[in-house]
Amino acid sequence: MSAVMPLLSTHPCIKKRPAPIMVPSDLPYPCSLVFNAGVIKHQGEYIMVFRNDYGTDQEKYETENRKFAGTSIGIARSKNGIDGWVFDPEPLFDSKKPSEDPEFVRYYDPRITKIDGKLYLCLATDTRHGLCGTIGELSDDLKTFRKISTSVPDNRNMVLFPEKIGGEYVRLERPMPVYSRHNERFDIWISRSPDLIYWGRSKLLLGTERVPWVNDKIGPTASPIKTERGWLTLFHAVDRDESRGKNGWEPAWKKRYTTGLMLLDLNDPSRVLSVYDKPLIVPDLPVETDEGFRQNVLFPCAMLLEDDNEVRIYYGASDTCVCLATAKLEDLLALLP
Ligand code: BMA
């Protein structure tokens, strides 16, 4: 890791598996990077919905400037959510396949949530006229996706709460107001909807100024977990340093993505009850700091509560592979007085 990076450390309550749980060579179709994956328990299995960028490799990228040919969203299933992943033979979406609407260029960074027994995906969406968030329903057999709504640009990182609150669907999101918030000071907002189509009553949830180690943007990560004390919620938190040089395949990568933790009111999740004032998880494994496409990037898209009160956090590492960290629920809550 570059010596200029302010030293931050992962909280000791977090146990990281030392090796990734999914790497590009695991996939049954071309893959350069597999990362930023939503995970859910469904019909007795763990379902992972992941992002795959394909069509180049480190050498071609660095010496021939060959960029990624496409991005696909794939699905894999596992009995224990750790290993033994069985992949669907074809991705659910592929940016190289003709889309039903040419305005939609690519989907990525999937989050999956079950509400009232139905599966929903939130997808970052590149359109020809800006970056949006798309919400849709995934069929029970995981084969078909029905688009429900797409936001206006520029908005991304949408995450649904796993139940209606006060009779409404609730989502976290991260608009990108480039004119009014300079230096990518982008914040987390919250909106509500009667039907997942019409979204409104939008409100700032957490501004970057409330996260002391951040000088760039923050954003939602995974569906919050319901606890007796409130909605336990992770967020990604970015610090940028212009002096950072080569940290991966690109000539320079100036950002570091860490993970923060907060608690939201159960009945009114637009009320932040507590924010842990340090990062919960930071890049510190070799696979996170010294290897891969963009080093020093942790990007969680799933947080699951197990029956024994273990919390699983699935995250993309270095935009290259999928990793897993765990913590005890009570240890996380203890950080949020
Ligand atoms: C964000 C998204 C993520 C990615 C992150 C770090 O803007 O594109 O998919 O993990 O940057 O590169």
Side-chain angles (χ1 to χ4, degrees), residues 21-64:
I21 61 162
M22 193 177 287
V23 296
S25 57
D26 292 339
L27 271 66
Y29 38 81
C31 173
S32 309
L33 314 168
V34 59
F35 60 115
N36 299 1
V39 181
I40 201 164
K41 277 195 203 169
H42 180 59
Q43 297 175 345
E45 290 180 308
Y46 290 80
I47 307 297
M48 182 187 287
V49 186
F50 54 82
R51 166 177 175 172
N52 164 25
D53 285 9
Y54 62 88
T56 190
D57 60 27
Q58 182 167 5
E59 197 186 325
K60 290 188 190 113
Y61 195 99
E62 289 181 336
T63 59
E64 299 168 25

Side-chain angles (χ1 to χ4, degrees), residues 161 172 187-190 203-207 210 233 262 264 268-272:
F161 281 69
L172 303 178
D187 315 288
I188 300 177
W189 287 65
I190 186 165
K203 202 175 154 195
L204 176 73
L205 182 78
L206 189 73
R210 291 191 66 181
T233 310
M262 65 179 161
L264 311 178
D268 177 7
S270 71
R271 279 187 58 224
V272 178

Side-chain angles (χ1 to χ4, degrees), residues 11 41 209 223 252:
H11 191 277
K41 277 195 203 169
E209 66 281 1
S223 283

Side-chain angles (χ1 to χ4, degrees), residues 267-287:
N267 300 317
D268 177 7
S270 71
R271 279 187 58 224
V272 178
L273 301 179
S274 180
V275 184
Y276 178 47
D277 63 358
K278 297 186 192 65
L280 178 69
I281 320 177
V282 309
D284 47 20
L285 292 177
V287 74

Side-chain angles (χ1 to χ4, degrees), residues 8 211-215 235 237-239 258-260 276-280:
L8 299 173
V211 187
W213 71 96
V214 155
N215 65 1
F235 56 91
V238 181
D239 67 280
T258 61
T259 306
Y276 178 47
D277 63 358
K278 297 186 192 65
L280 178 69

